[in-house]
Amino acid sequence: MLLEDKLINKDFENNLKYLSLLSKQYPTINEASTEIINLQAILNLPKGTEHFLTDVHGEHEQFIHVLKNASGVIKRKIDDIFGNRLVQSDKKKFATLIYYPEQKLDIILKQQPNIDDWYKITLYRLIEVCRNVSSKYTRSKVRKALPKDFAYIIEELLHEEAEGIDKEKYYGEIINTIISIDRAKDFIIALSKLIQRLVIDRLHIIGDIFDRGPGADIIMDILSEYHAVDIQWGNHDILWMGAASGSEVCMANVIRNSARYANLSTIEDSYGINLLPLATFAVDFYGDDPCENFLPKIESDKNYTVRELQLIAKMHKAIAIIQFKLEGQIIKRHPEFKMDYRLLLNNIDFETGTITLEGNKYDLVDTNFPTIDPKDPYKLLDVEVELIDKLKSSFINSQKLNKHVRFLFSNGSLYLKFNSNLLYHGCIPLNEDGSFREVLLQNKKYKGKALMDRLDILTREGFFYKENTPEKQFGSDMMWYLWTGPFSPLFGKEKMTTFERYFIAEEATHYEKKDPYYDFRNDEKICDNILIEFGLNPDESHIVNGHIPVEKKNGENPIKAHGKLMVIDGGFSKAYQSKTGIAGYTLIYNSFGLQLVSHQPFESTEKAITEETDILSSTIVLEHVTKRKMVEDTDIGIELKYQLCELKLLLLAYKKGLIKEQA
């Protein structure tokens, strides 16, 4: 359709109203023309580099390092730029300086005999790297990323065109002046952080920021300030979101998980939630109970006294029993969840110390249940109700937790379509024949994309609706269901055998049957069906998954269905690394294609700085395009093309006199 036809069609009045509003932003022909030229130029730049991470589980040190080294991209840039001009040891030192400029400078400055010469060489090298990583962006975008204190100077140096002695001398004098006025250290820090900023254009976190590791709050602080990030919620994230919304059963699960991994400091110290009432309750009811099956799993770098471990174990058991009671109540409240088979407390024979599951009788390894009434096992004691009320008040009034959860809502969702990739944490529930499973929600059945969309809405209602409304109650209950429900796309299993793992020795009872999705995810046809269901072209799209760790050491391949689906949970969490054999994956999508980077375990930030130990990473090139992907080929490119069309219509309206320029 010609522009004239678009301008003067049946929606002429609406078009003119919209263009009148647009003219407020671009009040003259010159300004509209300039923006058209600018947008057209942006479309022809290479697409920015996207990084995909998943299941970081509170491992903040490794997470921070992966962001700082851009999954090895900065090191490769240094190799490409300097080649044989630098020896390997100098490259390592230079890379570490870019990753940790403040800390590394303190060490280097004590070692350098001629610091001014070192400053000059280092500044020139940093500027060279900066020019390289900024080359795919417009000056405007780079300008927005510049630190305010040095914005003008850096912009001058980045766009140096040393044609002639005078110009070369001009840039040299800038460097000399920076050094002479004692600003070189700050300038190096600014350049290093700018490089870190420019090598990752957008960050995708495919779920499970929380639990297990000690620094989920630190990761959330970083993400909250990150320049471009989206999050696809994981089952551990949704649990914390539910706890922040006031869901008692989600709170109990959050505390139990934290106790299990001796990570209560995240709750107490990071989020300011008072666990003293729980500790008091646990000592009162389980003071003489060794709670052996509830002793926490601890990493080697965590030091606890025997007394501390025993107290955590008692708190662990106390909150676990409360959790089972609350889960029983929610299952009874929602028969449509079809989870009656998880009502286990009423299957206990308290006299014989046994439990009957699926017609089989098992001995319980722990028979001390001082807070359970055999006649009404899911009823909370008055003291338990009082305890839960105190915990609930702490959770919903934690300002920091509320801030982080609101960020998860504003920057997150159950799934995301971005640049022909479909991102979600767990699975799309399937039937045994590979068809989309229907799930009943509030008397209506949903499947596939419609199910994900509906669950996303219900989750938000559970957080944002007022207390004591049906929407709030059902939405917060759904957050728990997403954590553990049999048809939850975040959990993806028939049941979570938490009770069995604590109280029954027979490992057969610990088995958690996975959704059929996990059998079908290596089937290219099924993956194509999922992509089509979400409105994507299967010939050029991919699914990116997390949740189930890839056991690389046992030969499992993270690439499924001939490259249609990628599982990038490689064991970022230390708790999984013995199973996976590695310490996580990063998927990188740049203008040349897709690369999968596998990481070896990260020792510590201290060693990375002092001994210049980087994460050893290996890269697999999944796709390499012959024609470089440009901004016009991306989702942002589509938006820019719409803007271009609107601006051209505005320009035409100006020229025809339908809208007048504003002086």
Side-chain angles (χ1 to χ4, degrees):
M1 185 185 291
L2 296 173
L3 278 177
E4 287 87 348
D5 296 332
K6 286 186 176 182
L7 182 61
I8 307 171
N9 61 17
K10 62 181 180 181
D11 293 322
F12 173 71
E13 288 188 11
N14 288 334
N15 284 343
L16 211 56
K17 285 179 182 177
Y18 173 74
L19 293 175
S20 295
L21 289 172
L22 190 61
S23 70
K24 307 290 184 186
Q25 191 173 354
Y26 304 99
T28 67
I29 288 176
N30 283 343
E31 287 178 275
S33 300
T34 299
E35 185 64 8
I36 288 170
I37 295 166
N38 179 46
L39 293 181
Q40 195 64 57
I42 291 172
L43 287 173
N44 290 282
L45 287 171
K47 78 173 283 296
T49 301
E50 300 169 55
H51 279 233
F52 303 72
L53 292 170
T54 188
D55 295 88
V56 293
H57 282 300
E59 298 291 350
H60 63 287
E61 285 198 39
Q62 179 164 327
F63 175 79
I64 291 168
H65 189 79
V66 166
L67 285 194
K68 285 180 177 293
N69 80 350
S71 302
V73 169
I74 289 177
K75 195 172 181 181
R76 288 195 290 275
K77 290 283 185 186
I78 292 171
D79 283 334
D80 292 341
I81 294 166
F82 297 102
N84 294 326
R85 286 191 284 155
L86 290 179
V87 297
Q88 203 60 37
S89 59
D90 286 343
K91 289 179 183 177
K92 283 177 65 177
K93 191 181 294 293
F94 186 48
T96 306
L97 176 68
I98 293 174
Y99 306 158
Y100 302 99
E102 296 100 329
Q103 300 93 325
K104 194 62 180 174
L105 272 168
D106 289 341
I107 297 170
I108 290 172
L109 296 181
K110 294 174 184 176
Q111 300 171 341
Q112 286 297 326
N114 191 334
I115 195 61
D116 284 358
D117 282 350
W118 182 86
Y119 273 145
K120 187 177 292 187
I121 292 167
T122 302
L123 285 168
Y124 274 114
R125 287 174 181 169
L126 285 168
I127 291 163
E128 196 169 350
V129 175
C130 254
R131 281 199 199 111
N132 181 284
V133 300
S134 65
S135 61
K136 65 163 64 176
Y137 304 116
T138 62
R139 286 195 182 194
S140 173
K141 185 164 184 173
V142 174
R143 191 178 296 125
K144 290 174 183 175
L146 296 176
K148 290 182 181 179
D149 290 351
F150 298 106
Y152 172 77
I153 301 170
I154 293 175
E155 192 168 6
E156 282 287 288
L157 293 170
L158 287 184
H159 301 104
E160 172 192 355
E161 295 175 3
E163 296 175 357
I165 296 172
D166 290 341
K167 200 70 171 176
E168 188 176 346
K169 185 178 179 182
Y170 167 69
Y171 290 113
E173 277 306 309
I174 291 176
I175 298 294
N176 290 334
T177 305
I178 290 168
I179 296 169
S180 67
I181 63 172
D182 200 26
R183 293 289 278 161
K185 182 177 179 181
D186 293 328
F187 200 67
I188 286 170
I189 292 169
L191 286 171
S192 298
K193 291 186 175 179
L194 179 61
I195 292 167
Q196 292 178 27
R197 159 67 179 81
L198 293 174
V199 289
I200 301 177
D201 190 49
R202 189 173 189 89
L203 180 64
H204 306 286
I205 305 293
I206 310 179
D208 280 359
I209 296 164
F210 287 89
D211 289 330
R212 290 175 168 75
D217 63 302
I218 297 171
I219 294 171
M220 285 301 305
D221 281 338
I222 292 167
L223 294 178
S224 298
E225 300 297 324
Y226 208 72
H227 56 272
V229 63
D230 53 73
I231 300 159
Q232 293 70 60
W233 307 321
N235 55 323
H236 287 269
D237 305 320
I238 210 76
L239 198 60
W240 281 78
M241 292 158 71
S245 76
S247 167
E248 297 171 353
V249 69
C250 287
M251 285 187 288
N253 272 279
V254 161
I255 298 169
R256 182 187 60 78
N257 280 337
S258 297
R260 182 174 174 80
Y261 290 92
N263 194 25
L264 293 174
S265 61
T266 298
I267 296 177
E268 293 183 289
D269 302 333
S270 302
Y271 288 116
I273 293 164
N274 184 13
L275 293 181
L276 181 59
L278 174 60
T280 303
F281 173 87
V283 171
D284 286 346
F285 283 89
Y286 299 94
D288 297 326
D289 188 338
C291 301
E292 292 178 357
N293 290 335
F294 293 87
L295 287 168
K297 296 182 178 182
I298 57 173
E299 304 297 339
S300 57
D301 56 346
K302 290 183 179 179
N303 296 314
Y304 292 95
T305 65
V306 172
R307 191 172 179 178
E308 287 173 329
L309 290 175
Q310 287 175 343
L311 177 59
I312 294 172
K314 296 179 196 309
M315 294 168 70
H316 187 181
K317 183 174 181 180
I319 200 66
I321 298 300
I322 291 173
Q323 173 192 314
F324 299 141
K325 289 184 178 185
L326 292 169
E327 287 180 339
Q329 293 176 13
I330 202 171
I331 291 168
K332 289 182 175 182
R333 190 159 65 240
H334 292 286
E336 74 275 17
F337 287 177
K338 298 181 180 179
M339 294 182 67
D340 286 358
Y341 61 96
R342 296 307 297 159
L343 294 171
L344 305 182
L345 298 185
N346 48 284
N347 292 335
I348 298 174
D349 185 328
F350 291 91
E351 292 185 3
T352 62
T354 60
I355 187 170
T356 302
L357 299 178
E358 299 178 3
N360 298 312
K361 185 175 286 189
Y362 302 95
D363 291 327
L364 296 173
V365 295
D366 182 342
T367 57
N368 185 34
F369 300 107
T371 65
I372 296 179
D373 179 357
K375 295 177 182 178
D376 193 358
Y378 300 105
K379 183 180 179 181
L380 292 169
L381 302 179
D382 290 343
V383 68
E384 289 176 312
V385 172
E386 184 181 347
L387 169 61
I388 286 294
D389 285 344
K390 289 178 180 177
L391 292 172
K392 183 174 180 176
S393 177
S394 284
F395 268 94
I396 62 177
N397 289 306
S398 169
Q399 291 185 358
K400 187 173 182 179
L401 179 59
N402 196 272
K403 175 189 173 185
H404 285 170
V405 168
R406 284 180 176 272
F407 179 80
L408 286 171
F409 277 110
S410 61
N411 287 66
S413 54
L414 276 179
Y415 72 92
L416 179 69
K417 296 188 294 180
F418 197 88
N419 290 342
S420 297
N421 290 315
L422 177 60
L423 286 54
Y424 52 83
H425 177 71
C427 69
I428 305 299
L430 300 178
N431 294 309
E432 296 292 342
D433 62 357
S435 60
F436 295 111
R437 182 186 290 276
E438 289 187 331
V439 179
L440 183 67
L441 299 172
Q442 296 174 310
N443 300 316
K444 187 175 179 181
K445 291 182 178 179
Y446 300 86
K447 63 180 180 179
K449 181 178 181 296
L451 173 63
M452 299 290 274
D453 289 336
R454 184 60 186 155
L455 289 171
D456 194 293
I457 290 170
L458 291 172
T459 300
R460 294 176 194 278
E461 290 179 354
F463 183 78
F464 290 106
Y465 268 65
K466 291 182 180 179
E467 289 291 335
N468 302 318
T469 59
E471 294 87 355
K472 174 79 171 181
Q473 182 67 66
F474 190 80
S476 60
D477 286 353
M478 280 309 305
M479 289 192 220
W480 171 79
Y481 182 89
L482 284 168
W483 158 249
T484 188
F487 309 128
S488 162
L490 298 186
F491 179 49
K493 297 178 184 177
E494 184 182 58
K495 58 186 175 182
M496 189 179 291
T497 57
T498 307
F499 180 92
E500 291 89 333
R501 292 169 188 268
Y502 287 135
F503 291 101
I504 304 174
E506 284 80 358
E507 291 190 3
T509 65
H510 304 174
Y511 175 68
E512 298 173 345
K513 183 182 177 183
K514 296 186 182 71
D515 189 276
Y517 170 89
Y518 293 99
D519 293 325
F520 283 113
R521 65 181 178 176
N522 209 28
D523 186 318
E524 191 171 351
K525 184 178 178 182
I526 297 295
C527 291
D528 285 348
N529 290 343
I530 292 172
L531 290 166
I532 292 167
E533 168 72 8
F534 284 83
L536 291 169
N537 183 350
D539 294 332
E540 58 185 36
S541 303
H542 307 85
I543 297 168
V544 187
N545 245 166
H547 189 47
I548 303 291
V550 175
E551 297 184 17
K552 185 178 178 182
K553 73 173 189 178
N554 294 328
E556 185 180 356
N557 191 340
I559 312 304
K560 314 287 185 184
H562 301 101
K564 283 289 174 71
L565 186 148
M566 287 156 278
V567 184
I568 61 168
D569 181 5
F572 218 93
S573 169
K574 292 178 182 178
Y576 293 128
Q577 288 171 12
S578 61
K579 182 189 290 187
T580 62
I582 56 172
Y585 289 111
T586 303
L587 182 67
I588 299 172
Y589 183 25
N590 59 27
S591 57
F592 292 107
L594 287 163
Q595 299 174 354
L596 188 68
V597 181
S598 62
H599 306 295
Q600 293 303 310
F602 179 62
E603 292 190 63
S604 70
T605 302
E606 184 182 354
K607 281 196 172 184
I609 296 166
T610 58
E611 300 178 20
E612 297 164 4
T613 58
D614 205 345
I615 293 180
L616 295 174
S617 304
S618 56
T619 303
I620 303 170
V621 178
L622 304 177
E623 289 184 0
H624 187 83
V625 295
T626 52
K627 181 179 179 292
R628 198 174 187 185
K629 203 156 197 173
M630 313 304 279
V631 172
E632 67 176 346
D633 303 314
T634 67
D635 292 350
I636 292 172
I638 293 170
E639 292 177 18
L640 294 181
K641 287 174 185 176
Y642 279 120
Q643 291 177 32
L644 270 171
C645 183
E646 290 160 355
L647 284 164
K648 288 177 180 178
L649 285 172
L650 177 62
L651 198 59
L652 186 62
Y654 278 140
K655 290 178 179 178
K656 286 181 175 291
L658 298 171
I659 295 175
K660 293 181 180 180
E661 290 184 276
Q662 300 172 39

